[in-house]
């Protein structure tokens, strides 16, 4: 219930973020960030607990590695996919404003907001201001598209979490205590197995 609720809150923050425009007040930016920060921070602990409680203590390293791997993979995919959506949306929205520019300048402007502002700095005053405004608007458009896609993905994840995740961790299998003196030998055997595997 916690994971589903806070991921829904994250999705709501992303939807709010997608509505930002070039004239939006800074306070609205913070207002959109708050539910995203709450959702992402509160969801970490229960998700980590679910992963670690699903493996026996002897496999805690594997559970921790899986936890770290999924986070790194999710972060890398998020940057790649959402960054591509932002870049594509920016280039598409800025295209009409680049028709009168030389091909080299137009290509530099399409690289991103910084490139477009750099090109605008070398243009006459009127054309420069027009390109700056178009670049800022195009960047916000691309960012909004990426935020909406992220909101949809997080919303779907929230729904799946509320339906599929257990309310309480399943208890691990009961284990009998090792006979006296067997603990060291068992640990040594595990160590030898690990060394042999390496």
């Amino acid at each position: 219930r916690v994971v589903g609720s806070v991921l829904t809150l994250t999705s709501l923050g992303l939807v709010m973020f997608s509505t930002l425009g070039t004239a939006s007040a800074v306070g609205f930016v913070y207002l959109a960030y708050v539910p995203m920060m709450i959702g992402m921070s509160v969801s970490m602990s229960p998700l980590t607990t679910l992963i670690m409680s699903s493996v026996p203590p002897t496999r805690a390293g594997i559970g921790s590695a899986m936890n770290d791997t999924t986070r790194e993979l999710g972060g890398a995919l998020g940057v790649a996919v959402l960054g591509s959506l932002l870049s594509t949306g920016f280039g598409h929205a800025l295209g009409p404003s680049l028709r009168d520019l030389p091909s080299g300048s137009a290509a530099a402007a399409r690289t991103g907001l910084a490139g477009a502002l750099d090109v605008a700095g070398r243009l006459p005053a009127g054309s420069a201001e027009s390109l700056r405004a178009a670049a800022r608007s195009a960047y916000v458009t691309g960012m909004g598209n990426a935020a909406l896609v992220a909101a949809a993905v997080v919303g779907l994840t929230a729904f799946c979490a509320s339906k599929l995740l257990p309310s309480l961790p399943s208890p691990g299998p009961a284990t009998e205590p090792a006979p006296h003196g067997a603990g060291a030998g068992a640990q040594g055997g595990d160590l030898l197995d690990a060394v042999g595997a390496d």
Side-chain angles (χ1 to χ4, degrees), residues 17-134:
F17 196 74
S18 72
T19 64
L20 291 173
T22 55
S24 297
V26 174
F28 191 80
V29 178
Y30 294 145
L31 190 63
Y33 274 149
V34 168
M36 287 192 285
M37 290 187 295
I38 293 174
M40 288 187 284
S41 60
V42 174
S43 64
M44 291 295 181
S45 293
L47 287 173
T48 300
T49 300
L50 282 169
I51 290 177
M52 297 307 297
S53 64
S54 66
V55 296
T58 56
R59 303 296 185 189
I62 296 175
S64 178
M66 180 60 69
N67 181 46
D68 291 342
T69 300
T70 53
R71 288 187 185 183
E72 294 294 336
L73 180 62
L77 283 176
V79 170
V81 174
L82 297 181
S84 296
L85 288 173
L86 191 158
S87 180
T88 301
F90 173 80
H92 181 74
L94 187 63
S97 302
L98 304 178
R99 291 172 182 166
D100 297 331
L101 294 179
S103 58
S105 297
R110 283 194 180 91
T111 59
L113 181 60
L117 295 179
D118 182 63
V119 170
R122 300 193 296 268
L123 297 177
S127 301
E129 189 56 37
S130 176
L131 181 57
R132 287 191 188 100

Side-chain angles (χ1 to χ4, degrees), residues 120-183:
R122 300 193 296 268
L123 297 177
S127 301
E129 189 56 37
S130 176
L131 181 57
R132 287 191 188 100
R136 293 188 180 104
S137 178
Y139 183 83
V140 171
T141 298
M143 183 177 63
N145 293 340
L148 279 178
V149 172
V153 172
V154 175
L156 178 61
T157 304
F159 176 78
C160 293
S162 63
K163 296 296 183 182
L164 301 177
L165 290 181
S167 297
L168 292 173
S170 302
T175 57
E176 296 183 1
H180 179 70

